[in-house]
Amino acid sequence: MNFDVVIIGGGIAGLTCGIALQEKGKRCAIINNGQAAMEFASGSFDLLGKLPSGQIVQEFCKAFPQLQAQAPEHPYSLLGAEQVLAKAQQFEQLAISLNLGLVGSVLANHKRVTPLGGLRETWLSPNSVPTIKYNEAFAFDNIAILGIEGYHDFQPHMLAENLKQNPEFKHCQIHTDFLKIPELDYLREHSREFRSVNIAQLLEHKLSFRSLVKEIKQAAGSAKAVFLPACFGLDDQEFFEILKNATGLALFELPTLPPSLLGIRQRKQLRNRFEQLGGIMMNGDRAIKAEFEDSRVTEIYTQTHEEMAISAKNFVLASGSFFSNGLIAEFDRIYEPVFGVDILNCKMFDKNDRLSWTAQRFATPQPYQSAGVSINKQYQVSKEGTFLTNLYAIGSVIGGYNGIELGCGSGVAVVTALTVAELIGGEL
């Protein structure tokens, strides 16, 4: 099998890169070994939430010089502010074309409400999620937070108590209640199946819609805004929008404990676009080894195609970090399992000193989260000190930054994906 580009990893980085390459006329295949991290994420996209110093970021442009000084190995620092902003804006246009329903802009972060009642800086959020601009109060002063009876992955009381601690909600009256939704009785009896995905699947096929609308309106009482767990609408936001119009209320949804319906919807929409453009998804497969010639990758093998080589002009490593086994940690080493490429040393993480991998306090950012592969400014990957000319890395497999601590994981994913697509497309 021969392609123009083979992408290892079917998460947000791999799919974004694949879409951009297919639009440029490249023939691409994505090797996708299962669920991606975005199916466990909030549905929001973070460009940069704070600096390594701990300073909160409101405007990326103003914060970038400090980021570059404090984290010179960060993927953004390698690109420069102009390229980061250009690719972030390109993704905003892609999101519009895919009808992802995102709000936000690279010009300034906004705050989104978290499922625990906190506020987190972010770049883009689903328009169904409650968000607040800086120096503004929440738009409604009477809120009902409604859980689902027996569903423990969303806790209205805790959310309400924490929400009241934020100045943006000081003016709000907040009450909580639970929806009964009799159609969910089967899942209540089988608690292991009582998850957001199962709820959404059942409600789409076995639901008295009028009864649900009536129950939400009764539970909301005098409230004009209602916060619900993201359990309504499996494939897209259409069901939630119909429900919102039928109740006449300002309905908002919040991600629950994983799996996240908001992330699942987005991944489905990205995957659909990639396949509509002619891209090949090799689902349920895993890349296991590669062959090299001089400073090039010539072919790879997968679990499904152990005897049949998959060749390409270019390869893109979008396999993610430890969560998706894009990186493997053993007692005395951290390594990338497919190509055996170099792991980056940086001031936050020393691959040769195991004692440097973790911090003493469990709740503090852990240095090993900055582990990843070594790249140059063209995002080509290094192996034994030599940069491979046709192997690129994108997303969280790259070393030199902690995407969780800095609130930039999804931003790095889409910015690096679109940058590499442009490089392979020959426009840089």
Side-chain angles (χ1 to χ4, degrees):
M1 289 183 287
N2 184 47
F3 299 90
D4 293 323
V5 185
V6 169
I7 300 169
I8 297 94
I12 179 64
L15 286 169
T16 300
C17 186
I19 289 170
L21 286 167
Q22 286 291 145
E23 289 177 341
K24 295 176 184 295
K26 302 296 183 181
R27 184 168 178 262
C28 301
I30 292 178
I31 300 172
N32 172 42
N33 65 12
Q35 288 181 302
M38 68 183 302
E39 295 189 0
F40 298 81
S42 67
S44 291
F45 293 79
D46 301 331
L47 189 62
L48 183 65
K50 68 177 181 180
L51 295 169
S53 64
Q55 180 183 334
I56 298 299
V57 172
Q58 294 188 20
E59 299 179 38
F60 179 85
C61 284
K62 293 181 179 179
F64 182 79
Q66 294 170 277
L67 174 69
Q68 200 165 35
Q70 295 175 24
E73 302 96 349
H74 195 290
Y76 290 164
S77 299
L78 297 179
L79 278 180
E82 184 178 347
Q83 177 74 354
V84 173
L85 289 172
K87 293 305 162 194
Q89 290 171 328
Q90 184 179 340
F91 182 77
E92 289 178 4
Q93 294 305 309
L94 174 62
I96 291 171
S97 71
L98 289 173
N99 295 316
L100 292 183
L102 301 177
V103 296
S105 166
V106 294
L107 298 178
N109 282 334
H110 61 267
K111 297 180 180 180
R112 65 173 176 88
V113 177
T114 73
L116 295 179
L119 298 179
R120 181 179 173 89
E121 287 74 19
T122 193
W123 162 38
L124 299 171
S125 292
N127 56 21
S128 58
V129 170
T131 59
I132 305 165
K133 293 182 179 180
Y134 282 96
N135 302 316
E136 291 186 8
F138 188 61
F140 298 89
D141 59 10
N142 194 340
I143 304 169
I145 302 177
L146 307 181
I148 297 173
E149 189 175 80
Y151 179 60
H152 301 302
D153 292 351
F154 182 80
Q155 297 293 330
H157 294 95
M158 180 169 59
L159 171 57
E161 289 303 314
N162 290 336
L163 208 56
K164 294 173 184 175
Q165 308 306 312
N166 297 294
E168 293 87 347
F169 287 87
K170 288 290 186 183
H171 66 293
C172 297
Q173 292 182 336
I174 303 175
H175 79 269
T176 63
D177 204 345
F178 289 88
L179 301 173
K180 307 299 187 292
I181 313 181
E183 290 86 353
L184 299 179
D185 285 345
Y186 172 82
L187 294 180
R188 292 188 182 94
E189 294 171 4
H190 301 80
S191 57
R192 291 184 179 180
E193 299 177 20
F194 208 6
R195 295 290 181 263
S196 58
V197 173
N198 304 84
I199 293 171
Q201 288 174 333
L202 194 149
L203 292 182
E204 285 194 5
H205 301 289
K206 298 180 180 180
L207 174 70
S208 173
F209 186 77
R210 290 183 180 178
S211 296
L212 177 61
V213 171
K214 181 179 179 181
E215 188 174 1
I216 290 175
K217 292 173 73 172
Q218 287 178 341
S222 61
K224 300 300 181 186
V226 176
F227 290 4
L228 295 167
C231 298
F232 303 89
L234 182 61
D235 295 323
D236 52 41
Q237 206 175 301
E238 182 180 1
F239 181 85
F240 185 79
E241 292 299 324
I242 293 172
L243 189 62
K244 181 178 179 179
N245 292 333
T247 61
L249 298 168
L251 297 188
F252 297 94
E253 55 182 348
L254 289 169
T256 66
L257 288 177
S260 165
L261 216 60
L262 295 169
I264 290 172
R265 292 175 191 162
Q266 291 170 349
R267 190 180 183 215
K268 284 183 177 180
Q269 288 169 279
L270 287 164
R271 176 180 164 179
N272 288 342
R273 171 60 68 87
F274 175 70
E275 292 182 318
Q276 287 167 3
L277 291 167
I280 304 298
M281 290 293 296
M282 302 174 68
N283 291 311
D285 204 356
R286 181 189 296 272
I288 54 175
K289 66 177 182 178
E291 298 291 342
F292 304 87
E293 185 176 310
D294 297 327
S295 59
R296 292 179 59 83
V297 179
T298 56
E299 55 198 20
I300 63 172
Y301 296 85
T302 71
Q303 284 182 334
T304 304
H305 304 91
E306 289 188 68
E307 306 298 329
M308 182 184 298
I310 301 173
S311 60
K313 295 178 182 177
N314 291 286
F315 296 83
V316 179
L317 187 60
S319 51
S321 187
F322 300 100
F323 176 82
S324 54
N325 292 323
L327 299 174
I328 304 293
E330 295 181 349
F331 182 82
D332 59 349
R333 67 171 182 148
I334 290 175
Y335 66 97
E336 186 280 314
V338 180
F339 300 94
V341 293
D342 299 337
I343 301 298
L344 176 68
N345 269 343
C346 59
K347 68 179 183 180
M348 296 170 282
F349 167 81
D350 183 350
K351 64 182 179 183
N352 299 313
D353 180 8
R354 190 180 188 281
L355 295 178
S356 75
W357 297 1
T358 57
Q360 289 185 343
R361 293 190 60 194
F362 176 78
T364 59
Q366 299 297 317
Y368 75 86
Q369 293 171 328
S370 300
V373 302
S374 177
I375 59 171
N376 60 16
K377 291 185 177 181
Q378 285 72 45
Y379 282 73
Q380 294 164 322
V381 184
S382 168
K383 183 176 174 66
E384 298 176 353
T386 299
F387 289 101
L388 302 172
T389 58
N390 69 335
L391 177 62
Y392 302 83
I394 58 177
S396 58
V397 74
I398 298 171
Y401 75 106
N402 185 334
I404 298 174
E405 176 194 5
L406 303 183
C408 63
S410 47
V412 167
V414 298
V415 165
T416 58
L418 293 172
T419 297
V420 166
E422 190 173 34
L423 286 164
I424 292 174
E427 295 180 16
L428 280 180

